[in-house]
Amino acid sequence: MKSAYIHIPFCETICTYCDFCKFYYDKKIVFPYLKALEKEIKENYKEEKLSTIYIGGGTPSSLDLKELEKLLSILSVFKKENTYEYTIECNIESITEEKIKLFSFYGINRISIGVQTFQEKYLTFLNRKHTKEEVFQKINMIKKYISNINVDLIYAIPGETLEELESDLECFLSLKIPHISTYSLIIEEHTILHNQKVENISEELDLKMYELILQKLNQYHHYEISNFSLVGYESKHNLTYWNNEEYYGFGVGASGYVNGIRYTNAKSISHYKENKKIECYSVSSKEKIENEFILGFRKLDGISIKSFKEKYGLNPIYLKSVQDLMNKKMLEVEGDYLKIPDKYIYVSNEILISFIDCQEDF
Ligand code: SF4
């Protein structure tokens, strides 16, 4: 095991598009939750050295200093590789210099921030509470302590124009940070936007926006469908997922993949405290290979043929489903890598579906 994900489900406000496992921040439940988290970690962590730790949410930075100190002291049980990556997700409005100093003291060396957009009307639409000025001010403050920063950008917001997205992208570029994650807004069920019957933008506009992002962020390394970084700043933690490697998932609603078993913890805090799972199954070898493709082809480099052979004792290019896609020129070999050609990366989901539907016995 190389990685651990820790879920902190508390948020001060609820974003209109959010379908994650989250609860309103409530001082009374934070410490009892951290106690349950500590118990889960103690019972399951096998003391391996980890190369990535990721505290996500929710909004981990919504905890106050005392709560964060408790959380980070619980997590200090994790042993770390020398070149570890340790990330915490933050919201602009709840981040303070004291919190950043605390993160740095506990070895956190990467901050991921939900910026989403710089357009005031869309911030209101998404129910995000920060302003453009605060983004610049807080990111400059963070840079004094931690330079490895990711910012999330949301596009395809209903009503958004290409010009507005372009202006957002220019602001993101002017932040001069090493990593940008982009998300096309999909209106999921059980969200405020879905209840308000808001509809997704057209696919044509979504594609145009994606192309604009590729063009504007061309000084970054586009290494995964939606992720861009300076070279050397690719998210090691997310690469664990895309490389189909195992990882711990701790906390309410967290998913993990440990010793061939994929599991998801209960999404209610009371059930989580009782150690309940909503999903827990052993991954079959067929599913392992399907996941290898579905996750691995999200990377622009694709899948290493050599490591696939080492993992599964098979050359992937001789699999029928792979050959069918190669014949349609939807997969190609480049050096040691089997990959989706760049021109098809936008429609990669449709290509990946063929692995889920395929009847081939790997
Ligand atoms: S901050 Fe994140 S987890 Fe919290 S409501 Fe917004 S999108 Fe959801």
Side-chain angles (χ1 to χ4, degrees):
M1 205 74 51
K2 286 187 352 181
S3 297
Y5 172 82
I6 302 96
H7 194 71
I8 301 300
F10 307 110
C11 294
E12 276 153 324
T13 52
I14 301 299
C15 305
T16 52
Y17 55 91
C18 180
D19 72 337
F20 301 131
C21 176
K22 80 283 174 185
F23 305 95
Y24 275 113
Y25 173 85
D26 175 353
K27 223 173 175 21
K28 289 194 294 298
I29 52 175
V30 175
F31 272 106
Y33 176 72
L34 294 179
K35 214 169 153 205
L37 182 68
E38 183 171 27
K39 182 168 170 280
E40 187 195 9
I41 293 173
K42 268 195 184 145
E43 285 171 2
N44 294 283
Y45 171 53
K46 298 284 181 285
E47 308 215 338
E48 317 90 322
K49 280 192 177 173
L50 299 178
S51 59
T52 77
I53 304 170
Y54 192 105
I55 310 173
T59 313
S61 61
S62 67
L63 303 193
D64 68 21
L65 264 184
K66 233 171 142 190
E67 293 157 348
L68 283 169
E69 179 132 37
K70 175 73 184 159
L71 167 69
L72 296 174
S73 69
I74 291 170
L75 304 186
S76 59
V77 67
F78 293 134
K79 295 181 178 153
K80 303 194 235 18
E81 295 281 0
N82 289 338
T83 55
Y84 71 89
E85 178 191 273
Y86 190 175
T87 307
I88 187 163
E89 286 181 354
C90 296
N91 266 9
I92 289 290
E93 62 271 29
S94 56
I95 199 72
T96 64
E97 191 149 359
E98 287 71 27
K99 290 182 187 178
I100 294 291
K101 281 187 192 165
L102 184 76
F103 298 160
S104 183
F105 176 79
Y106 276 94
I108 289 178
N109 55 16
R110 186 169 183 270
I111 304 280
S112 180
I113 309 168
V115 170
Q116 323 308 13
T117 171
F118 285 91
Q119 317 280 333
E120 212 177 299
K121 62 181 172 183
Y122 297 128
L123 285 169
T124 307
F125 177 79
L126 300 172
N127 199 26
R128 304 294 296 208
K129 300 296 178 194
H130 58 256
T131 62
K132 183 173 176 173
E133 292 66 37
E134 277 171 328
V135 173
F136 282 95
Q137 186 228 321
K138 294 281 177 92
I139 289 185
N140 283 334
M141 181 271 288
I142 295 169
K143 280 182 183 172
K144 288 198 277 173
Y145 303 92
I146 296 172
S147 57
N148 191 354
I149 300 171
N150 167 61
V151 286
D152 291 341
L153 172 153
I154 291 184
Y155 67 99
I157 303 169
E160 187 181 18
T161 63
L162 284 164
E163 291 70 28
E164 286 167 334
L165 174 60
E166 186 163 12
S167 139
D168 262 357
L169 287 161
E170 273 157 17
C171 288
F172 275 84
L173 285 169
S174 68
L175 292 170
K176 298 200 187 318
I177 35 84
H179 196 286
I180 301 177
S181 297
T182 66
Y183 298 91
S184 165
L185 182 71
I186 311 266
I187 294 158
E188 305 282 1
E189 278 182 38
H190 314 298
T191 61
I192 296 168
L193 290 181
H194 188 265
N195 293 342
Q196 291 170 344
K197 306 208 178 332
V198 174
E199 291 188 4
N200 290 315
I201 66 160
S202 71
E203 272 184 35
E204 292 75 17
L205 183 55
D206 190 274
L207 172 58
K208 280 190 188 147
M209 288 184 162
Y210 186 72
E211 287 168 346
L212 179 64
I213 290 170
L214 297 189
Q215 183 202 322
K216 296 293 287 186
L217 300 187
N218 65 2
Q219 54 195 272
Y220 283 80
H221 174 209
H222 182 202
Y223 71 103
E224 191 269 350
I225 301 175
S226 317
N227 283 278
F228 303 79
S229 78
L230 300 183
V231 174
Y233 286 89
E234 296 81 5
S235 163
K236 285 188 196 168
H237 184 81
N238 286 342
L239 281 165
T240 306
Y241 303 143
W242 300 321
N243 289 331
N244 197 21
E245 287 163 7
E246 298 200 337
Y247 56 94
Y248 290 110
F250 295 118
V252 65
S255 295
Y257 180 25
V258 175
N259 296 331
I261 292 175
R262 284 197 181 266
Y263 63 89
T264 303
N265 288 341
K267 294 192 180 217
S268 94
I269 293 187
S270 56
H271 287 168
Y272 165 67
K273 283 184 181 161
E274 292 162 13
N275 200 16
K276 290 192 177 145
K277 310 246 179 286
I278 52 170
E279 182 180 57
C280 185
Y281 63 95
S282 176
V283 181
S284 69
S285 38
K286 180 176 189 301
E287 200 184 331
K288 247 180 226 164
I289 293 180
E290 280 171 6
N291 287 341
E292 192 80 24
F293 289 138
I294 292 163
L295 298 164
F297 286 134
R298 295 185 60 93
K299 295 173 292 174
L300 275 278
D301 281 350
I303 289 168
S304 157
I305 297 171
K306 185 168 165 276
S307 41
F308 190 97
K309 279 193 208 156
E310 281 164 10
K311 263 177 153 172
Y312 304 104
L314 282 171
N315 187 330
I317 66 167
Y318 297 127
L319 293 171
K320 188 177 171 306
S321 42
V322 170
Q323 290 212 328
D324 287 349
L325 287 166
M326 286 176 74
N327 291 339
K328 290 187 208 154
K329 307 237 176 301
M330 287 179 156
L331 283 181
E332 65 185 11
V333 174
E334 211 177 273
D336 174 47
Y337 286 86
L338 178 64
K339 58 176 286 221
I340 293 179
D342 291 355
K343 67 175 176 187
Y344 289 126
I345 205 76
Y346 179 77
V347 290
S348 56
N349 277 347
E350 286 151 47
I351 298 174
L352 298 178
I353 281 184
S354 58
F355 289 106
I356 301 175
D357 291 343
C358 92
Q359 299 302 315
E360 189 175 5
D361 220 357
F362 297 122

